[in-house]
Coordinates of all heavy atoms in Angstrom, one line a residue:
V13 N 105.8 82.4 145.0 CA 105.7 82.5 143.6 C 105.2 83.8 143.1 O 104.2 84.3 143.7 CB 104.6 81.3 143.2 CG1 104.3 81.5 141.6 CG2 105.1 80.0 143.6
P14 N 105.8 84.5 142.2 CA 105.3 85.7 141.8 C 104.1 85.7 141.0 O 103.7 84.7 140.4 CB 106.6 86.3 140.8 CG 107.2 85.1 140.4 CD 107.1 84.1 141.6
P15 N 103.4 86.8 141.0 CA 102.0 86.8 140.2 C 102.3 86.6 138.7 O 103.5 87.0 138.4 CB 101.5 88.2 140.6 CG 102.4 88.9 141.1 CD 103.5 88.1 141.6
P16 N 101.3 86.1 138.0 CA 101.6 86.0 136.5 C 101.8 87.4 135.8 O 101.2 88.4 136.4 CB 100.4 85.3 136.0 CG 99.3 85.5 137.1 CD 100.1 85.6 138.4
I17 N 102.5 87.5 134.7 CA 102.6 88.7 134.2 C 101.4 89.0 133.3 O 101.2 88.1 132.4 CB 103.9 88.7 133.3 CG1 105.2 88.7 134.1 CG2 104.0 89.9 132.4 CD1 106.5 88.4 133.5
R18 N 100.8 90.0 133.4 CA 99.5 90.4 132.5 C 100.1 91.0 131.2 O 100.9 91.9 131.1 CB 98.8 91.4 133.2 CG 97.5 91.8 132.7 CD 96.6 92.8 133.5 NE 97.4 93.8 134.0 CZ 97.6 95.1 133.3 NH1 97.1 95.1 132.1 NH2 98.2 96.1 133.8
A19 N 99.4 90.5 130.0 CA 99.8 91.0 128.7 C 99.5 92.6 128.7 O 98.4 92.9 129.3 CB 99.1 90.3 127.7
G20 N 100.3 93.3 128.1 CA 100.1 94.7 128.0 C 100.6 95.5 129.1 O 100.5 96.7 129.2
S21 N 101.2 94.8 130.0 CA 101.6 95.6 131.3 C 103.1 96.0 131.1 O 103.9 95.4 130.2 CB 101.6 94.7 132.5 OG 102.5 93.7 132.4
W22 N 103.7 96.8 131.9 CA 105.1 97.2 131.9 C 105.9 95.9 132.2 O 107.0 95.8 131.5 CB 105.4 98.3 133.1 CG 106.8 98.6 133.0 CD1 107.5 99.5 132.3 CD2 107.8 98.1 133.9 NE1 108.8 99.6 132.5 CE2 108.9 98.7 133.6 CE3 107.8 97.1 135.0 CZ2 110.2 98.4 134.2 CZ3 109.0 97.0 135.6 CH2 110.1 97.6 135.2
A23 N 105.6 95.1 133.1 CA 106.3 93.9 133.3 C 106.4 93.1 132.1 O 107.3 92.3 131.8 CB 105.6 93.1 134.5
A24 N 105.2 93.0 131.2 CA 105.4 92.2 129.9 C 106.4 92.7 129.0 O 107.1 91.9 128.5 CB 104.0 92.2 129.3
G25 N 106.7 94.0 129.1 CA 107.7 94.6 128.3 C 109.1 94.1 128.8 O 110.0 93.7 128.0
M26 N 109.3 93.9 130.1 CA 110.3 93.4 130.6 C 110.5 92.0 130.3 O 111.8 91.5 130.3 CB 110.4 93.7 132.3 CG 110.4 95.2 132.6 SD 111.8 96.0 131.9 CE 113.1 95.4 132.9
A27 N 109.5 91.3 130.1 CA 109.5 89.9 129.8 C 109.8 89.6 128.2 O 109.7 88.5 127.8 CB 108.2 89.2 130.2
G28 N 109.8 90.5 127.5 CA 110.2 90.6 126.0 C 108.9 90.7 125.2 O 108.9 90.7 124.0
E29 N 107.6 91.1 125.7 CA 106.5 91.4 124.9 C 106.2 92.8 125.1 O 106.1 93.4 126.1 CB 105.3 90.5 125.6 CG 105.4 89.1 125.3 CD 104.1 88.5 125.7 OE1 103.3 89.1 126.3 OE2 104.0 87.2 125.5
I30 N 106.2 93.5 124.0 CA 105.8 94.9 123.9 C 104.5 95.1 123.0 O 104.6 94.7 121.8 CB 107.0 95.7 123.5 CG1 108.2 95.6 124.5 CG2 106.6 97.3 123.4 CD1 109.4 96.4 124.0
W31 N 103.5 95.4 123.6 CA 102.2 95.7 122.8 C 102.1 97.1 122.2 O 102.5 98.1 123.0 CB 101.0 95.4 123.6 CG 101.0 94.0 124.0 CD1 101.7 93.3 125.0 CD2 100.1 93.0 123.5 NE1 101.3 91.9 125.0 CE2 100.4 91.8 124.1 CE3 99.1 93.0 122.4 CZ2 99.7 90.6 123.7 CZ3 98.4 91.9 122.2 CH2 98.8 90.6 122.7
A32 N 101.7 97.2 121.0 CA 101.5 98.7 120.5 C 100.1 98.8 119.9 O 99.5 97.9 119.3 CB 102.5 98.9 119.3
T33 N 99.7 99.9 120.0 CA 98.4 100.5 119.3 C 98.8 101.5 118.3 O 99.5 102.4 118.6 CB 97.4 101.2 120.4 OG1 97.2 100.2 121.3 CG2 96.2 101.6 119.5
V34 N 98.5 101.3 117.1 CA 98.9 102.0 116.0 C 97.6 102.6 115.3 O 96.8 101.9 114.9 CB 99.7 101.2 114.9 CG1 100.1 102.2 113.7 CG2 101.0 100.7 115.6
V35 N 97.6 104.0 115.2 CA 96.5 104.7 114.6 C 97.2 105.5 113.4 O 98.1 106.3 113.6 CB 95.7 105.6 115.4 CG1 94.6 106.3 114.8 CG2 95.1 104.8 116.6
T36 N 96.6 105.3 112.2 CA 97.3 106.0 111.0 C 96.1 106.5 110.2 O 95.0 106.2 110.3 CB 98.1 105.0 110.1 OG1 97.1 104.0 109.6 CG2 99.2 104.4 110.9
D37 N 96.6 107.7 109.4 CA 95.7 108.3 108.5 C 96.4 108.7 107.2 O 97.8 108.9 107.3 CB 95.0 109.4 109.1 CG 93.8 109.9 108.2 OD1 93.4 109.1 107.3 OD2 93.4 111.0 108.3
A38 N 95.8 108.8 106.1 CA 96.5 109.4 104.9 C 95.8 110.4 104.3 O 94.4 110.3 104.3 CB 96.8 108.2 103.9
S39 N 96.4 111.3 103.7 CA 95.6 112.3 102.8 C 96.0 112.1 101.3 O 97.1 111.6 100.9 CB 96.0 113.7 103.1 OG 97.3 114.0 102.7
F40 N 95.1 112.1 100.4 CA 95.2 111.9 99.0 C 94.7 112.9 98.2 O 93.4 113.2 98.4 CB 94.8 110.4 98.6 CG 94.9 110.1 97.3 CD1 96.0 109.6 96.7 CD2 93.7 110.2 96.3 CE1 96.2 109.4 95.3 CE2 93.8 109.8 95.1 CZ 95.1 109.4 94.5
G41 N 95.3 113.6 97.3 CA 94.8 114.5 96.4 C 95.0 114.2 94.9 O 95.3 113.1 94.6
D42 N 94.9 115.2 94.2 CA 95.1 115.0 92.6 C 96.6 115.1 92.5 O 97.4 115.1 93.3 CB 94.4 116.0 91.8 CG 95.0 117.5 92.1 OD1 96.0 117.7 92.6 OD2 94.1 118.5 91.9
R43 N 97.0 115.0 91.2 CA 98.4 114.8 90.8 C 99.3 116.1 91.2 O 100.4 115.9 91.5 CB 98.6 114.7 89.3 CG 98.0 113.3 88.8 CD 98.2 113.1 87.3 NE 97.4 112.0 86.9 CZ 97.9 110.9 86.7 NH1 99.2 110.7 86.7 NH2 97.1 109.9 86.2
R44 N 98.7 117.1 91.5 CA 99.5 118.4 91.8 C 99.9 118.3 93.4 O 100.7 118.9 93.8 CB 98.6 119.5 91.6 CG 98.4 119.8 90.2 CD 97.4 121.0 89.9 NE 96.2 120.7 90.3 CZ 95.4 121.4 91.0 NH1 95.9 122.7 91.5 NH2 94.1 121.0 91.4
I45 N 99.1 117.7 94.2 CA 99.3 117.6 95.6 C 99.8 116.3 96.1 O 99.2 115.3 95.9 CB 97.9 117.8 96.4 CG1 97.4 119.2 95.8 CG2 98.1 117.8 97.9 CD1 95.9 119.3 96.4
P46 N 101.0 116.2 96.6 CA 101.6 114.9 97.2 C 100.7 114.3 98.3 O 100.2 115.0 99.1 CB 103.0 115.2 97.6 CG 103.0 116.8 97.9 CD 101.9 117.3 97.0
A47 N 100.8 113.0 98.2 CA 100.0 112.4 99.4 C 100.7 112.4 100.7 O 102.0 112.5 100.6 CB 99.7 110.9 98.9
A48 N 100.1 112.3 101.8 CA 100.8 112.5 103.1 C 100.3 111.4 104.0 O 99.3 110.9 103.8 CB 100.7 113.8 103.7
W49 N 100.9 111.2 105.1 CA 100.6 110.2 106.1 C 100.9 110.7 107.6 O 101.7 111.5 107.6 CB 101.3 108.9 105.9 CG 102.8 109.0 106.0 CD1 103.8 109.3 105.3 CD2 103.5 108.6 107.2 NE1 105.0 109.3 105.7 CE2 104.9 108.9 107.0 CE3 103.1 108.2 108.5 CZ2 105.9 108.7 108.0 CZ3 104.1 108.0 109.5 CH2 105.5 108.2 109.2
A50 N 100.2 110.1 108.4 CA 100.5 110.3 109.9 C 100.2 109.1 110.7 O 99.4 108.2 110.3 CB 99.6 111.5 110.3
A51 N 101.0 109.0 111.8 CA 100.8 107.8 112.8 C 100.9 108.2 114.1 O 101.7 109.1 114.4 CB 101.9 106.8 112.4
W52 N 100.0 107.7 114.9 CA 100.0 107.8 116.4 C 100.3 106.4 117.0 O 99.5 105.5 116.7 CB 98.8 108.4 116.9 CG 98.6 108.8 118.3 CD1 98.8 109.9 118.9 CD2 98.2 107.7 119.4 NE1 98.6 109.8 120.3 CE2 98.2 108.5 120.5 CE3 97.9 106.5 119.3 CZ2 97.9 107.9 121.8 CZ3 97.4 105.8 120.5 CH2 97.5 106.6 121.7
I53 N 101.4 106.3 117.7 CA 101.8 104.9 118.2 C 101.8 105.0 119.7 O 102.6 105.8 120.2 CB 103.1 104.6 117.6 CG1 102.9 104.4 116.1 CG2 103.4 103.0 118.2 CD1 104.2 104.7 115.3
R54 N 101.1 104.1 120.4 CA 101.3 104.0 121.8 C 101.9 102.5 122.2 O 101.3 101.6 122.0 CB 100.0 104.2 122.5 CG 100.0 103.8 124.0 CD 100.6 104.8 124.8 NE 99.7 105.8 125.1 CZ 100.1 106.9 125.8 NH1 101.4 107.1 126.2 NH2 99.2 107.7 126.1
L55 N 103.1 102.6 122.7 CA 103.7 101.3 123.1 C 103.4 101.2 124.7 O 103.6 102.3 125.4 CB 105.3 101.3 122.9 CG 105.5 101.4 121.5 CD1 107.1 101.6 121.4 CD2 105.2 100.2 120.8
D56 N 103.2 100.0 125.1 CA 102.8 99.9 126.6 C 104.0 100.2 127.5 O 103.7 100.2 128.7 CB 102.1 98.5 126.8 CG 103.0 97.3 126.6 OD1 104.1 97.5 126.0 OD2 102.5 96.2 126.8
V57 N 105.2 100.3 127.0 CA 106.3 100.4 127.9 C 106.7 101.9 127.9 O 107.8 102.1 128.7 CB 107.5 99.4 127.5 CG1 107.1 98.0 127.8 CG2 107.8 99.6 126.1
F58 N 106.2 102.7 127.2 CA 106.6 104.1 127.1 C 105.4 105.0 127.6 O 104.3 104.8 127.2 CB 107.1 104.5 125.7 CG 108.2 103.9 125.2 CD1 108.2 103.2 124.0 CD2 109.3 103.9 125.9 CE1 109.4 102.6 123.5 CE2 110.5 103.2 125.5 CZ 110.6 102.6 124.1
P59 N 105.6 106.0 128.3 CA 104.6 106.8 128.9 C 103.9 107.7 127.8 O 102.7 108.1 127.9 CB 105.3 107.7 130.0 CG 106.6 107.6 129.6 CD 107.0 106.4 128.9
E60 N 104.8 108.2 126.8 CA 104.2 109.1 125.8 C 104.0 108.4 124.5 O 104.8 107.5 124.0 CB 105.1 110.3 125.7 CG 105.3 111.1 126.9 CD 104.0 111.8 127.2 OE1 103.4 112.4 126.4 OE2 103.8 111.9 128.5
P61 N 103.0 108.7 123.8 CA 102.8 108.2 122.4 C 103.9 108.8 121.4 O 104.5 109.9 121.5 CB 101.5 108.6 122.0 CG 101.2 109.9 122.8 CD 101.9 109.7 124.1
I62 N 104.1 108.1 120.3 CA 105.0 108.5 119.3 C 104.2 109.0 118.2 O 103.2 108.4 117.8 CB 105.9 107.1 118.7 CG1 106.7 106.6 119.9 CG2 106.8 107.6 117.5 CD1 107.2 105.1 119.5
K63 N 104.4 110.2 117.7 CA 103.7 110.9 116.7 C 104.7 111.1 115.5 O 105.7 111.8 115.7 CB 103.1 112.2 117.3 CG 102.2 111.9 118.3 CD 101.8 113.3 118.9 CE 101.2 113.0 120.3 NZ 101.0 114.4 121.0
R64 N 104.3 110.6 114.4 CA 105.2 110.9 113.1 C 104.2 111.3 111.9 O 103.1 110.7 111.8 CB 106.0 109.8 112.8 CG 107.0 109.3 113.7 CD 108.1 110.5 113.9 NE 109.2 109.9 114.8 CZ 109.2 110.3 116.1 NH1 108.3 111.0 116.5 NH2 110.2 109.9 116.8
A65 N 104.6 112.1 111.0 CA 104.0 112.4 109.8 C 105.0 112.7 108.7 O 106.0 113.1 109.1 CB 103.0 113.6 110.1
G66 N 104.5 112.7 107.5 CA 105.4 113.0 106.4 C 104.7 113.0 105.1 O 103.5 112.5 105.0
L67 N 105.4 113.2 104.1 CA 104.9 113.1 102.6 C 105.5 111.8 102.1 O 106.6 111.4 102.3 CB 105.3 114.2 101.8 CG 105.0 115.7 102.2 CD1 105.6 116.7 101.3 CD2 103.4 115.8 102.0
F68 N 104.6 111.1 101.2 CA 105.2 110.1 100.6 C 106.2 110.4 99.5 O 106.0 111.4 99.0 CB 104.0 109.2 100.0 CG 103.1 108.6 100.9 CD1 101.8 109.0 101.2 CD2 103.5 107.4 101.6 CE1 101.0 108.4 102.0 CE2 102.6 106.7 102.6 CZ 101.4 107.2 102.8
K69 N 107.2 109.6 99.4 CA 108.2 109.9 98.3 C 107.8 109.5 97.0 O 108.3 110.2 96.0 CB 109.5 109.1 98.7 CG 110.1 109.5 100.0 CD 111.4 108.6 100.3 CE 111.9 109.2 101.6 NZ 113.1 108.4 102.0
S70 N 106.8 108.6 96.8 CA 106.3 108.3 95.5 C 104.9 108.8 95.4 O 104.2 108.9 96.4 CB 106.5 106.8 95.2 OG 105.8 106.1 96.1
R71 N 104.3 108.8 94.2 CA 102.9 109.1 93.9 C 102.0 107.9 94.3 O 102.5 106.9 94.1 CB 102.7 109.6 92.5 CG 103.4 110.9 92.1 CD 102.7 112.1 92.5 NE 103.2 113.2 92.1 CZ 102.9 114.4 92.7 NH1 102.1 114.5 93.7 NH2 103.7 115.4 92.3
M72 N 100.9 108.2 94.8 CA 99.9 107.2 95.0 C 98.8 107.2 94.0 O 98.5 108.2 93.4 CB 99.2 107.4 96.4 CG 100.0 107.6 97.6 SD 100.9 106.0 98.0 CE 102.6 106.5 97.8
A73 N 98.5 105.9 93.5 CA 97.4 105.8 92.5 C 96.1 106.1 93.0 O 95.2 106.6 92.3 CB 97.6 104.5 91.8
T74 N 95.8 105.7 94.2 CA 94.6 105.7 94.9 C 94.6 106.2 96.3 O 95.7 105.9 97.0 CB 93.7 104.4 94.7 OG1 94.4 103.4 95.5 CG2 93.6 104.0 93.3
S75 N 93.5 106.6 96.9 CA 93.5 106.8 98.3 C 93.6 105.5 99.1 O 94.2 105.5 100.2 CB 92.1 107.5 98.7 OG 91.0 106.6 98.6
V76 N 93.2 104.3 98.6 CA 93.2 103.1 99.3 C 94.8 102.8 99.4 O 95.4 102.3 100.5 CB 92.6 102.0 98.6 CG1 93.0 100.6 99.1 CG2 91.0 102.2 98.6
E77 N 95.5 102.9 98.3 CA 97.1 102.8 98.4 C 97.6 103.6 99.4 O 98.7 103.2 100.2 CB 97.8 103.0 97.1 CG 99.1 102.7 97.0 CD 99.8 103.1 95.7 OE1 99.1 103.6 94.8 OE2 101.0 102.9 95.6
A78 N 97.3 104.9 99.5 CA 97.9 105.7 100.5 C 97.5 105.4 101.9 O 98.3 105.3 102.8 CB 97.3 107.3 100.2
E79 N 96.4 104.9 102.2 CA 96.0 104.5 103.6 C 96.7 103.2 103.9 O 97.2 103.1 105.0 CB 94.4 104.1 103.6 CG 93.6 105.4 103.5 CD 93.6 106.3 104.7 OE1 94.2 105.9 105.7 OE2 93.0 107.3 104.5
I80 N 96.9 102.2 102.9 CA 97.7 101.0 103.2 C 99.0 101.3 103.6 O 99.6 100.8 104.5 CB 97.5 100.0 102.0 CG1 96.1 99.5 102.0 CG2 98.5 98.8 102.2 CD1 95.8 98.8 100.8
R81 N 99.7 102.3 102.7 CA 101.0 102.7 103.0 C 101.2 103.4 104.4 O 102.2 103.3 105.1 CB 101.6 103.4 101.8 CG 101.9 102.5 100.5 CD 102.4 103.5 99.4 NE 102.6 102.6 98.3 CZ 103.8 102.7 97.5 NH1 104.7 103.4 97.7 NH2 103.7 101.9 96.4
A82 N 100.2 104.2 104.8 CA 100.3 104.9 106.0 C 100.3 103.8 107.1 O 101.1 103.9 108.1 CB 99.2 105.8 106.1
A83 N 99.4 102.8 107.0 CA 99.4 101.7 108.0 C 100.7 101.0 108.0 O 101.2 100.6 109.1 CB 98.3 100.7 107.7
V84 N 101.4 100.7 107.0 CA 102.6 100.0 106.8 C 103.7 100.9 107.6 O 104.6 100.4 108.3 CB 103.0 99.6 105.4 CG1 104.5 99.2 105.3 CG2 102.1 98.6 104.9
N85 N 103.8 102.1 107.3 CA 104.7 103.1 108.0 C 104.5 103.0 109.5 O 105.5 103.0 110.2 CB 104.5 104.5 107.4 CG 105.0 104.7 106.0 OD1 105.9 103.8 105.5 ND2 104.7 105.8 105.4
G86 N 103.2 103.1 109.9 CA 102.9 103.1 111.3 C 103.4 101.9 112.0 O 104.0 101.9 113.1
V87 N 103.2 100.6 111.5 CA 103.5 99.4 112.0 C 105.0 99.3 111.9 O 105.6 98.8 113.0 CB 102.9 98.3 111.2 CG1 103.5 96.9 111.7 CG2 101.5 98.2 111.4
A88 N 105.7 99.6 110.9 CA 107.1 99.6 110.8 C 107.7 100.5 111.9 O 108.8 100.1 112.5 CB 107.7 100.1 109.4
L89 N 107.3 101.7 112.2 CA 107.9 102.4 113.3 C 107.6 101.8 114.6 O 108.5 101.9 115.5 CB 107.0 103.9 113.2 CG 107.4 104.8 112.2 CD1 106.4 106.0 112.1 CD2 108.9 105.4 112.4
A90 N 106.5 101.2 114.8 CA 106.2 100.5 116.0 C 107.3 99.4 116.3 O 107.8 99.2 117.4 CB 104.7 100.0 116.2
V91 N 107.4 98.6 115.2 CA 108.3 97.5 115.3 C 109.7 97.9 115.5 O 110.6 97.4 116.3 CB 108.2 96.6 114.0 CG1 109.4 95.6 113.9 CG2 106.9 95.9 114.0
A92 N 110.2 99.0 114.8 CA 111.5 99.7 115.0 C 111.7 100.0 116.4 O 112.8 100.0 116.9 CB 111.6 100.8 114.1
R93 N 110.6 100.4 117.2 CA 110.7 100.8 118.6 C 110.6 99.6 119.5 O 110.6 99.8 120.6 CB 109.6 101.8 119.0 CG 109.9 103.2 118.2 CD 111.0 103.9 118.8 NE 111.3 105.2 118.1 CZ 111.2 106.3 118.8 NH1 111.1 106.3 120.1 NH2 111.3 107.4 118.1
G94 N 110.5 98.4 119.0 CA 110.5 97.1 119.8 C 109.2 96.4 120.0 O 109.2 95.5 120.7
A95 N 108.2 97.0 119.3 CA 106.9 96.2 119.4 C 106.9 94.8 119.1 O 107.5 94.6 117.9 CB 105.8 97.0 118.9
T96 N 106.4 93.9 119.8 CA 106.4 92.5 119.3 C 104.8 92.2 119.0 O 104.7 91.1 118.3 CB 106.9 91.5 120.5 OG1 106.0 91.8 121.7 CG2 108.4 91.9 120.8
H97 N 103.8 93.0 119.3 CA 102.5 92.7 119.1 C 101.9 94.1 118.7 O 101.8 95.1 119.4 CB 101.8 92.3 120.3 CG 102.3 90.9 120.9 ND1 101.9 89.7 120.2 CD2 103.1 90.8 121.9 CE1 102.6 88.7 121.0 NE2 103.3 89.4 122.0
V98 N 101.3 94.2 117.5 CA 100.7 95.4 117.0 C 99.3 95.3 116.8 O 98.9 94.2 116.3 CB 101.5 95.9 115.6 CG1 100.9 97.2 115.1 CG2 103.0 95.9 115.9

């Protein structure tokens, strides 16, 4: 009998479970400066983290909105790379 598959291991990815750690941040300024976001994503099946950043296409009303949208972008990137648990 093979040993059980430990969650978060490479074998878990082979079993269809891929765990991700997502760290995001956003910048928010006045109306003259566009808001920006960044994400650092570590998937347990890839050796290197995924790093992405960019400007938001629309204006943010508050810094809270910018932070939430940054988190959504990060999670969406993780899911697009196959993450099943974020």
Side-chain angles (χ1 to χ4, degrees):
V13 175
I17 295 173
R18 184 175 52 82
S21 69
W22 178 83
M26 297 303 291
E29 291 185 354
I30 299 175
W31 292 77
T33 300
V34 179
V35 178
T36 62
D37 193 21
S39 67
F40 176 78
D42 61 23
R43 294 179 188 260
R44 295 174 290 133
I45 302 169
W49 65 277
W52 181 95
I53 302 154
R54 170 69 88 186
L55 298 172
D56 65 353
V57 294
F58 295 126
E60 296 296 321
I62 299 164
K63 302 171 193 173
R64 297 289 184 268
L67 298 175
F68 289 109
K69 293 180 181 177
S70 60
R71 295 277 182 202
M72 302 295 116
T74 66
S75 61
V76 172
E77 180 183 4
E79 293 289 351
I80 290 170
R81 288 185 182 217
V84 168
N85 284 349
V87 169
L89 284 168
V91 169
R93 293 292 180 120
T96 57
H97 303 280
V98 179

